[in-house]
Amino acid sequence: MFRSRAKEEKAPATKAAVTDSKQPRDPQAPKGRPTPKRSEARTQRRSVANTPTTRKEAAKRQREERRQALERQRQALANGDERYLPARDKGPVRRFARDWVDSRFNVAEFFLPLAVVILVLSVVRVGAIQSLALLLWLIVIVLIVLDAAVSGFRLKKRLAERFPDENTRGAVAYALMRSLQMRRLRLPKPRVKRGERP
């Protein structure tokens, strides 16, 4: 009741100055927090500047980032850069399985050229040649199955010797799928020559 009016008017003004951050702060007043490092301030400014404002812009940016990631992945598959390889190709176990397959001849990698030859032979209207084509199909399939079984067994043994403490699950199937591809079409590109020990 007998308080001075001047004190009442000053009190809310100081509270508003503390809570309202839009008003310019007095340069001499302490700011109540440590000054950020230059690198931190720069990253904060970038993140604020790069934040999308609309949903459409966010979707566009996401598509662009995905496209860049796929491009990096494609480059990595071509030149073997481990950092950007897909998850299925990463790690020393998968690298060893790739090198092991690439260092030897596989029957399965010649399947496509042999299949073309056999298909051409089966189109010919001569009974003996068609029988030969059928026999060749059978021989090729049996050879591929036998080669895959022997390769899988040997690779499993080598992986157990070389990586006793690591998870090698799926590496044999990965290697067998790679052996089905022709050598020059394999991705990541082969790093070892035939006959070289991985």
Side-chain angles (χ1 to χ4, degrees):
M1 189 167 141
F2 295 106
R3 275 184 266 166
S4 78
R5 262 183 148 176
K7 284 183 183 175
E8 283 179 15
E9 287 173 2
K10 282 180 189 173
T14 55
K15 285 179 187 170
V18 171
T19 55
D20 191 11
S21 61
K22 293 196 187 320
Q23 290 180 340
R25 188 179 61 80
D26 179 23
Q28 300 300 320
K31 61 182 178 283
R33 61 182 167 78
T35 303
K37 291 183 180 175
R38 180 175 290 184
S39 58
E40 291 171 7
R42 203 174 278 158
T43 54
Q44 284 174 354
R45 278 199 305 270
R46 278 196 197 122
S47 67
V48 168
N50 293 341
T51 306
T53 54
T54 63
R55 213 176 97 196
K56 194 174 181 181
E57 191 180 316
K60 184 180 177 185
R61 182 168 297 166
Q62 198 172 16
R63 276 196 306 273
E64 182 64 26
E65 286 171 0
R66 194 177 317 121
R67 189 189 63 73
Q68 287 174 354
L70 286 171
E71 178 62 26
R72 277 197 306 266
Q73 206 173 79
R74 191 183 63 74
Q75 294 274 342
L77 285 169
N79 60 26
D81 188 358
E82 279 277 333
R83 292 173 300 167
Y84 302 116
L85 283 176
R88 66 154 204 258
D89 297 313
K90 276 186 181 173
V93 174
R94 297 297 170 104
R95 189 181 327 117
F96 178 79
R98 282 197 303 273
D99 292 346
W100 192 83
V101 167
D102 295 337
S103 69
R104 54 193 303 276
F105 281 98
N106 302 290
V107 178
E109 70 183 282
F110 301 109
F111 175 73
L112 281 177
L114 288 171
V116 170
V117 170
I118 292 168
L119 280 171
V120 168
L121 288 176
S122 64
V123 170
V124 176
R125 298 276 183 186
V126 178
I129 293 177
Q130 286 183 334
S131 298
L132 178 69
L134 195 61
L135 184 66
L136 280 172
W137 269 124
L138 187 64
I139 290 170
V140 166
I141 289 170
V142 167
L143 283 174
I144 288 172
V145 169
L146 285 174
D147 184 46
V150 170
S151 296
F153 178 74
R154 288 175 59 198
L155 178 60
K156 198 170 190 176
K157 191 175 172 185
R158 290 287 307 276
L159 285 169
E161 290 170 6
R162 187 103 177 228
F163 304 100
D165 299 330
E166 290 195 43
N167 182 13
T168 59
R169 190 170 161 228
V172 174
Y174 172 76
L176 292 177
M177 289 302 291
R178 187 173 174 85
S179 72
L180 287 169
Q181 300 166 336
M182 294 172 72
R183 185 180 168 88
R184 66 178 60 167
L185 300 177
R186 291 176 185 164
L187 289 174
K189 298 280 186 197
R191 300 182 319 139
V192 295
K193 294 177 182 173
R194 291 193 200 270
E196 242 181 78
R197 283 179 70 84

